Amino acid sequence: MTTSHLASLNRIAPLAVCLFGITLQSSIRAQQTATPVDKFSLLPGFKVELLYSVPRDREGSWVNMAVDPKGRLITSDQDGLLYRVTPPAIGGNPASVSVEPIDLKIGQAHGLLCAFDSLYVVVNGKAAEGSGLYRVRDTNGDDKYDEVKLLRKIEGGGEHGPHAVVLAPDQKSLIVLGGNHTKIPNPESTRLPRNWGEDLLLPRLWDANGHARGILAPGGWICQTDPDGKSWDLISSGFRNEFDLAVNPRGDVFTYDADMEWDIGTPWYRPTRICQVVSGGEFGWRSGTGKWPDYYPDSLPAVVNIGPGSPTGIGFGTGTKFPKKYQDALFICDWSFGKLYAVHLTPDGATHKGTVETFAAAAPLPLTDVVANPIDGALYFTIGGRKTQSGLYRITYTGSEPTLASKPGTLPNEVRIRKELENLHKRDSQAVAKAWSFLGHPDRFVRYAARIAIENQPVNEWQERALEEQTPMASITALLALARQGDASVQERLFGSLGRLAGTNLTEAQTLDALRVLSLAMIRMGRPSEQTSRDISERLLAVYPSQSGLINRELAAILVYLQTPGIAGKTLALMIESPSQQEQLHYALILRNLEGGWSLDQRRTYFSWFIQAQKYKGGASFRRFVQNIKQDAVDLLSASEGKALADVLNAKAVEDVAPAYDMNRKFVKDYTTDELVAELQKGLSGRDFARGKRVFATVACYSCHHFAGEGGAAGPDLTGVSGRFSFHDLIESVVAPSRTISDQYQSTIFVLKDGSDVAGRVANLAGETLMVVTDMLAPGDFKNVQRDQVESTRPSTVSPMPEGLLNGLSLDEIKDLVAYLQSGGDRNYEAFKN
């Protein structure tokens, strides 16, 4: 599996191979067949049709699609031309589909949009005049496009190049986006203050395999422009490789950002995720180990995390003749794992929260784009990319639920406030007065919008007010703005203002925000004086470690940055005692920067950890990242230390290294769901938080699951499990994991013609080769399967999660584990009170 989406080759298919103006007949189509519909799993009440198997030798592999005003589809070959497709009527013969090449020298589109009597095309490659936004028109009214005009050149190409174009919420302009290998196309204005930076307190490690090396902020970007493409405005940035955008009827904009699956198993890994695109939004992508955690207040979090995958096209069900739930759903395409998800979004203050449902799936199914067609009420999607077999499909609803057009709900008050603040994301003499009272608002998106309005004004207009603000949350937000926009002359006063917060009862989130302000003041304004550094070190060391794992992460980084005496022992203890490999790796990464203050025994303990780490699993860059962390630490050793530690520094991997969790505990009992539920229903008072967390690690939960800021991402995030599962469902999912397997994580069994079989998930495709991941903890290890050697496929009935995980635990340990899961990571949860 590569880092995301669709390779764009640097050529345009010769026009001579295309049959311009001629409808291609079914005899040509029959030579190659896309994934048959009988291989699909689809929600009840829906029907899927294969309308067209794209002949690769003539029309390539389709990656993009748009609906024209007559309900026809415009499609693009990844390496070739554009096509106009007239689908058959609903209930008609699928073979009657008409496909016509568009007789113009333009193609290689990653973005298509029909609007303003034009076809807008985002070229990603060398078609026409190269990558950029183009406007294509029919100038003589004969229903054929005949004019191509470049509106703005965009520097970039390939998988992380320029991508989508969509109609903006105002219905009067366009939104265009590019991945993180694409330069922002010289926007005339920007909602984000232009002084963006990496904002990393400690040196980053670039990707160990070289991906995105040297690429700096702002990363992937989103711009708005007028229909003529003359004036561009930067709306949002900090994405890795967002491929598409979707706008709901209320005017909310969403994107589906890519992961870096080579990072799986590391603390800086971020899963694919849905983000709500707001004015001035920064989403924290930085290359290598530099990715910001989503709790940083100078960025915004995801609406919902999806997990490992490869995001391509997205679109709302608006205009479909589907039940209301699916008209309102955001449909998203995962190219790697062959899933068409329905994301159900509900208002959550000034933003949304979401849940994910597998709507359609097959193997292989390299989804590239999805669009709703308001003319016939159907949902269309394409598969293809990277020269794989392409196809056009249609989904219709055949069930009995009502399909009346859905109407937008009432606008929450927080959304109204946010939008009013976003109107101030420019120079405005009234902005400070209007926005200031919202800097302490309980809604994070409102606070963020207020701060961006402030930051867009000259700093001398609000600097003193920021330093003097007394309300804790408003003070933190104002000082965050000052740390980003002020200069070194105010650093000491900023530290003083932060110091006033020490006597207040800050929440964990507020404490994390304040620590980020402290870090930014040092990142942007320089290292403090020796006396100030000592003062900060003493105050932070006195509360380190805290009971919060996330706070400890930030404290450790600041204390190591300041080279604080005594920090080695405390941080090393956290590293060794941490229950997950991700947490251990985080502290190993930080400690590699600590130059002095080590005892020889502490050095030995630190470097001994790398022997254990050789047993850990992760993505394609994981092992080299670990090696590079170790090498950075070795480079800080004196000659005498290197000599004294030679044995541990040169130690090879051993087979009997203890894992981070114990899967070989002595058998206690083969528990049943009913007996455990009966015990749990008696109550969970007086439980032990620390032991619950320890047990979570013992049964390997952290290896696959994210929980309260720690752990992996191969399985679902369990932080909110208490709100989704009863005791019975929770226990059954552990005792009998194969009884119910989520489509999102289900493997496929490929039965081959030689009688053998391969079980796993298709994660990449290359021509006729299916690249199957058989172990989600090692996503870079593939088993290659040739498509023509597959006899049959079937869903696996065995869960990736092993059975018997609880059989080595005592009943008290199980109760502590369940209490820990119910708590969401909160030590103050009622079950932990005596």
Side-chain angles (χ1 to χ4, degrees):
M1 181 177 13
T2 57
T3 53
S4 54
H5 332 312
L6 309 169
S8 181
L9 299 184
N10 295 327
R11 61 181 177 84
I12 185 72
L15 300 184
V17 304
C18 300
L19 306 177
F20 296 120
I22 300 176
T23 300
L24 299 178
Q25 301 300 318
S26 60
S27 61
I28 296 176
R29 299 196 301 271
Q31 295 174 8
Q32 298 164 313
T33 304
T35 303
V37 297
D38 61 5
K39 301 296 184 184
F40 276 72
S41 61
L42 188 67
L43 290 182
F46 292 91
K47 174 186 176 182
V48 61
E49 301 171 272
L50 172 58
L51 298 182
Y52 190 60
S53 289
V54 180
R56 278 185 291 175
D57 57 340
R58 294 179 180 272
E59 296 171 7
S61 195
W62 292 359
V63 298
N64 208 238
M65 185 168 42
V67 181
D68 79 5
K70 295 183 178 181
R72 299 170 298 189
L73 305 174
I74 308 297
T75 66
S76 178
D77 172 17
Q78 179 180 355
D79 304 317
L81 303 178
L82 304 181
Y83 297 86
R84 183 159 63 188
V85 181
T86 304
I90 302 295
N93 180 7
S96 65
V97 62
S98 170
V99 179
E100 302 171 274
I102 292 176
D103 188 6
L104 290 171
K105 294 182 179 180
I106 190 169
Q108 291 184 299
H110 278 204
L112 294 170
L113 171 68
C114 293
F116 309 118
D117 295 322
S118 305
L119 170 64
Y120 290 93
V121 182
V122 176
V123 169
N124 184 330
K126 293 189 175 180
E129 298 176 57
S131 293
L133 174 66
Y134 292 78
R135 190 173 195 173
V136 180
R137 283 174 163 171
D138 169 13
T139 62
N140 58 16
D142 66 353
D143 199 30
K144 292 183 179 180
Y145 294 116
D146 53 39
E147 178 188 78
V148 176
K149 182 179 181 181
L150 174 64
L151 300 183
R152 182 157 299 197
K153 195 146 184 75
I154 300 176
E155 188 176 343
E159 293 192 354
H160 294 240
H163 295 315
V165 53
V166 301
L167 188 63
D170 64 8
Q171 304 288 300
K172 299 177 182 178
S173 56
L174 310 171
I175 302 180
V176 184
L177 59 85
N180 61 351
H181 290 200
T182 314
K183 292 186 177 181
I184 301 174
N186 299 316
E188 282 73 17
S189 60
T190 174
R191 314 283 180 87
L192 295 93
R194 290 182 182 267
N195 65 336
W196 45 71
E198 297 300 284
D199 289 333
L200 306 175
L201 185 63
L202 296 173
R204 132 231 353 262
L205 287 175
W206 297 103
D207 177 71
N209 284 330
H211 178 75
R213 181 179 291 271
I215 293 180
L216 303 176
W221 50 267
I222 296 173
C223 285
Q224 190 165 343
T225 185
D226 60 273
D228 295 323
K230 292 182 177 179
S231 179
W232 289 57
D233 186 21
L234 178 63
I235 299 174
S236 185
S237 69
F239 301 98
R240 179 172 180 269
N241 192 23
E242 76 290 32
F243 189 78
D244 200 1
L245 288 167
V247 183
N248 69 11
R250 206 172 70 180
D252 302 313
V253 183
F254 298 87
T255 193
Y256 183 17
D257 199 16
D259 64 0
M260 175 58 171
E261 75 279 356
W262 291 359
D263 288 344
I264 288 177
T266 71
W268 54 87
Y269 171 71
R270 303 201 309 184
T272 67
R273 56 196 199 141
I274 301 298
C275 299
Q276 182 168 353
V277 180
V278 296
S279 173
E282 157 67 68
F283 289 87
W285 176 84
R286 298 296 185 270
S287 191
T289 64
K291 287 177 281 292
W292 297 0
D294 63 6
Y295 57 77
Y296 274 8
D298 40 335
S299 69
L300 290 170
V303 169
V304 59
N305 287 322
I306 305 299
S310 188
T312 47
I314 69 174
F316 278 97
T318 308
T320 60
K321 294 178 181 176
F322 287 1
K324 173 178 169 53
K325 177 179 180 180
Y326 296 98
Q327 291 182 50
D328 295 341
L330 174 62
F331 292 93
I332 63 174
C333 297
D334 181 348
W335 188 87
S336 291
F337 295 125
K339 307 283 187 181
L340 179 62
Y341 295 115
V343 180
H344 304 291
L345 299 164
T346 54
D348 183 27
T351 181
H352 290 76
K353 58 185 177 181
T355 59
V356 184
E357 176 183 32
T358 301
F359 185 77
L365 197 71
L367 290 144
T368 54
D369 205 2
V370 59
V371 294
N373 190 334
I375 302 300
D376 62 14
L379 190 73
Y380 290 81
F381 67 88
T382 49
I383 65 171
R386 295 183 184 159
K387 300 186 181 298
T388 60
Q389 177 58 55
S390 192
L392 172 66
Y393 297 81
R394 178 169 66 188
I395 295 178
T396 50
Y397 181 65
T398 59
S400 58
E401 290 186 43
T403 58
L404 295 175
S406 177
K407 297 181 180 179
T410 304
L411 196 69
N413 190 50
E414 292 90 345
V415 174
R416 179 187 59 78
I417 295 171
R418 173 175 60 78
K419 289 181 177 292
E420 289 176 357
L421 290 167
E422 289 173 350
N423 290 331
L424 304 174
H425 290 178
K426 57 187 177 182
R427 284 293 176 93
D428 188 317
S429 61
Q430 300 299 312
V432 174
K434 291 179 178 178
W436 199 270
S437 63
F438 296 102
L439 292 177
H441 196 280
D443 189 289
R444 178 173 172 179
F445 275 69
V446 171
R447 289 197 305 275
Y448 186 97
R451 178 178 58 80
I452 295 299
I454 299 293
E455 287 192 31
N456 270 290
Q457 314 313 314
V459 69
N460 61 356
E461 293 182 4
W462 51 269
Q463 176 176 292
E464 291 302 316
R465 191 170 179 179
L467 291 167
E468 295 170 4
E469 176 63 51
Q470 298 295 312
T471 305
M473 190 70 255
S475 174
I476 293 170
T477 309
L479 293 174
L480 174 63
L482 185 57
R484 286 169 41 82
Q485 301 300 331
D487 58 36
S489 66
V490 298
Q491 187 187 59
E492 291 290 338
R493 295 181 64 198
L494 189 155
F495 290 152
S497 297
L498 270 180
R500 291 199 304 263
L501 299 170
T504 58
N505 293 319
L506 300 181
T507 65
E508 179 188 49
Q510 289 171 333
T511 302
L512 288 169
D513 287 359
L515 290 172
R516 177 59 172 168
V517 175
L518 178 60
S519 294
L520 278 171
M522 294 186 285
I523 293 167
R524 293 208 168 202
M525 298 175 177
R527 188 180 182 88
S529 67
E530 289 188 16
Q531 183 58 52
T532 301
S533 294
R534 281 195 298 270
D535 291 344
I536 294 172
S537 293
E538 289 175 5
R539 296 180 70 169
L540 297 187
L541 195 62
V543 295
Y544 176 69
S546 76
Q547 291 188 336
S548 165
L550 297 181
I551 290 174
N552 285 338
R553 287 187 176 203
E554 299 306 313
L555 288 172
I558 294 170
L559 289 166
V560 167
Y561 170 81
L562 295 173
Q563 300 293 307
T564 304
I567 187 60
K570 287 189 173 186
T571 307
L572 192 61
L574 284 175
M575 172 179 157
I576 299 304
E577 294 167 5
S578 293
S580 69
Q581 72 176 46
Q582 289 86 351
E583 195 77 359
Q584 293 173 20
L585 188 60
H586 174 80
Y587 290 117
L589 179 71
I590 288 175
L591 282 172
R592 89 190 203 282
N593 298 284
L594 185 61
E595 298 175 12
W598 294 86
S599 70
L600 193 61
D601 284 344
Q602 288 170 341
R603 292 281 201 193
R604 180 171 293 276
T605 300
Y606 176 76
F607 286 111
S608 294
W609 175 84
F610 289 92
I611 303 173
Q612 173 176 303
Q614 294 178 67
K615 301 290 286 186
Y616 294 164
K617 293 182 178 181
S621 295
F622 181 84
R623 293 194 181 281
R624 291 186 63 189
F625 264 127
V626 174
Q627 293 168 6
N628 292 345
I629 292 170
K630 178 182 176 181
Q631 187 59 54
D632 276 3
V634 168
D635 290 344
L636 293 180
L637 295 176
S638 67
S640 60
E641 286 174 324
K643 184 176 181 180
L645 297 170
D647 59 330
V648 69
L649 294 179
N650 298 322
K652 303 297 182 183
V654 293
E655 294 301 320
D656 59 350
V657 171
Y661 46 85
D662 182 4
M663 291 293 291
N664 299 308
R665 290 165 60 96
K666 184 179 178 181
F667 176 81
V668 175
K669 187 176 182 180
D670 188 5
Y671 294 102
T672 67
T673 299
D674 289 342
E675 69 177 302
L676 288 178
V677 170
E679 287 291 338
L680 294 170
Q681 288 177 339
K682 294 177 182 178
L684 285 175
S685 61
R687 302 323 311 168
D688 187 323
F689 177 90
R691 186 163 66 172
K693 184 174 183 178
R694 208 160 47 240
V695 172
F696 191 81
T698 297
V699 294
C701 297
Y702 279 119
S703 298
C704 297
H705 298 285
H706 204 67
F707 186 83
E710 300 179 41
D717 190 323
L718 299 181
T719 307
V721 71
S722 63
R724 303 196 304 268
F725 294 100
S726 65
F727 277 149
H728 183 278
D729 292 340
L730 178 60
I731 293 300
E732 184 177 73
S733 68
V734 181
V735 172
S738 295
R739 188 165 298 174
T740 303
I741 306 174
S742 168
D743 288 341
Q744 191 172 349
Y745 301 100
Q746 189 171 40
S747 295
T748 298
I749 296 176
F750 298 88
V751 180
L752 307 183
K753 291 180 179 179
D754 64 5
S756 63
D757 60 62
V758 176
R761 298 173 68 185
V762 176
N764 203 353
L765 299 96
E768 291 298 302
T769 301
L770 311 179
M771 302 167 74
V772 181
V773 173
T774 58
D775 180 359
M776 285 304 296
L777 296 181
D781 297 338
F782 297 115
K783 174 72 173 179
N784 288 342
V785 174
Q786 297 305 310
R787 194 169 180 175
D788 61 2
Q789 295 302 305
V790 177
E791 184 71 32
S792 62
T793 63
R794 66 176 186 274
S796 174
T797 58
V798 179
S799 171
M801 187 164 78
E803 296 189 358
L805 290 176
L806 302 182
N807 293 349
L809 303 177
S810 69
L811 187 58
D812 272 339
E813 287 177 315
I814 293 173
K815 289 182 176 181
D816 289 336
L817 172 63
V818 173
Y820 181 65
L821 287 167
Q822 291 283 311
S823 76
D826 180 6
R827 289 176 177 270
N828 297 316
Y829 180 62
E830 59 184 10
F832 302 125
K833 297 176 181 178
N834 293 321

